[in-house]
Amino acid sequence: MRGWTLGSGSSGNAIVLESGAHRILIDCGFGPRAIAVRLRTLGIAPESIGALLLTHEHIDHAQGAERAQKKYRWPVYGSAGTLLALPEIEARWRRPITPGLPVAIDGFTIEAIAVPHDAASSFAYTVTATASGARVGVAHDLGAVPDELHGSFARCDALLIEANHDAEMLRNGPYAPALQERVRGGRGHLSNAQGAALAASVAHPGLRAVSLLHLSAVNNTPALAEQAVTAAVRRAGYAGPVRAAPRRDPTLAFSL
Ligand SMILES: [Zn+2]
Ligand SMILES: [Zn+2]
């Protein structure tokens, strides 16, 4: 199983997961033309994507979802609330899913975990490759870590976890107090320390890769995020790579 980030942060998010000939896209925060260009940079034809999973409807995650779905006829999985916010997707392509009920799609089993965020109804996901059994956890745009997420992410081979802001940079940065409060609040985004605590709590000897998502361009740096999470997972016994996903460039996140 392999995974790539096509971009990560407030200017657009998308992740591709691949198992053999099967591919899924998690979020489509780029327009249809941009997502196709980013996929082709990796040698991936948009037509080869079997399904789109959405974490939530915010524009940096779903702005291209309706138009790309029309063009490539992807079935779209997500919470009922997320799908309601995207009225252009025809009923026959909608696949509302429920936390706790795993769903088998071509090549993968997906499982949703509800997470707190200032959107209609946000999900984190675990994705398990049918062929290899490899399992990946993806969580971004969450203000706090629900207990269920610890359980679901405990058996993952690769983790893609939000590390949005450094708490001190946010406090001393240019954001107005109300916006700061929204970002650090329980329905906002995970700080480096919160992402580090999540990664450390689910790290285990079989874990192979940790990728950090949705870094703020204003209130974080890749070095700060990587340092915070690396220190925490090293204490938990994980010796493998910890890398911040680039904001704009499509990049390999893991290869299992
Ligand atoms: Zn976002
Ligand atoms: Zn969001």
Side-chain angles (χ1 to χ4, degrees):
M1 191 180 189
R2 292 191 291 176
W4 297 264
T5 54
L6 302 184
S8 189
S10 55
S11 47
N13 297 272
I15 295 165
V16 185
L17 302 180
E18 175 186 84
S19 168
H22 302 289
R23 298 191 181 98
I24 57 174
L25 189 64
I26 301 183
D27 287 342
C28 190
F30 302 97
R33 197 168 308 157
I35 199 92
V37 167
R38 281 163 192 268
L39 286 167
R40 290 200 181 101
T41 303
L42 302 170
I44 296 172
E47 294 81 4
S48 73
I49 301 287
L52 170 62
L53 276 59
L54 293 174
T55 60
H56 63 304
E57 75 280 14
H58 283 165
I59 191 160
D60 55 321
H61 299 264
Q63 69 156 304
E66 290 168 308
R67 285 170 295 153
Q69 188 285 326
K70 264 193 177 54
K71 189 162 182 196
Y72 300 113
R73 304 178 152 259
W74 297 326
V76 183
Y77 294 79
S79 71
T82 298
L83 295 177
L84 261 178
L86 300 167
E88 296 293 313
I89 297 170
E90 290 174 43
R92 62 187 166 130
W93 297 110
R94 293 169 175 270
R95 305 282 189 276
I97 54 176
T98 307
L101 293 177
V103 174
I105 57 179
D106 266 1
F108 303 95
T109 300
I110 59 173
E111 209 170 336
I113 305 100
V115 294
H117 187 55
D118 55 358
S121 172
S122 296
F123 282 167
Y125 288 101
T126 61
V127 178
T128 306
T130 313
S132 63
R135 183 176 163 93
V136 175
V138 177
H140 50 191
D141 293 55
L142 63 168
V145 177
D147 286 345
E148 302 80 62
L149 199 58
H150 289 110
S152 296
F153 277 22
R155 291 161 287 121
C156 287
D157 301 287
L159 294 169
L160 289 79
I161 288 179
E162 173 165 58
N164 175 257
H165 56 276
D166 172 79
E168 201 168 323
M169 281 185 77
L170 177 63
R171 192 163 48 242
N172 299 324
Y175 281 15
L179 180 54
Q180 286 193 26
E181 209 42 59
R182 206 188 120 219
V183 169
R184 75 164 72 88
R187 290 169 62 82
H189 293 273
L190 292 188
S191 68
N192 293 344
Q194 288 172 304
L198 171 58
S201 78
V202 297
H204 61 93
L207 182 61
R208 304 264 302 275
V210 176
S211 178
L212 306 179
L213 303 176
H214 216 290
L215 273 68
S216 168
V218 176
N219 300 309
N220 209 355
T221 68
L224 278 174
E226 288 171 356
Q227 281 161 21
V229 178
T230 301
V233 295
R234 294 288 182 263
R235 287 194 293 274
Y238 168 70
V242 175
R243 290 199 194 96
R247 290 177 63 73
R248 295 185 187 281
D249 299 328
T251 303
L252 183 71
F254 65 87
S255 179
L256 301 173

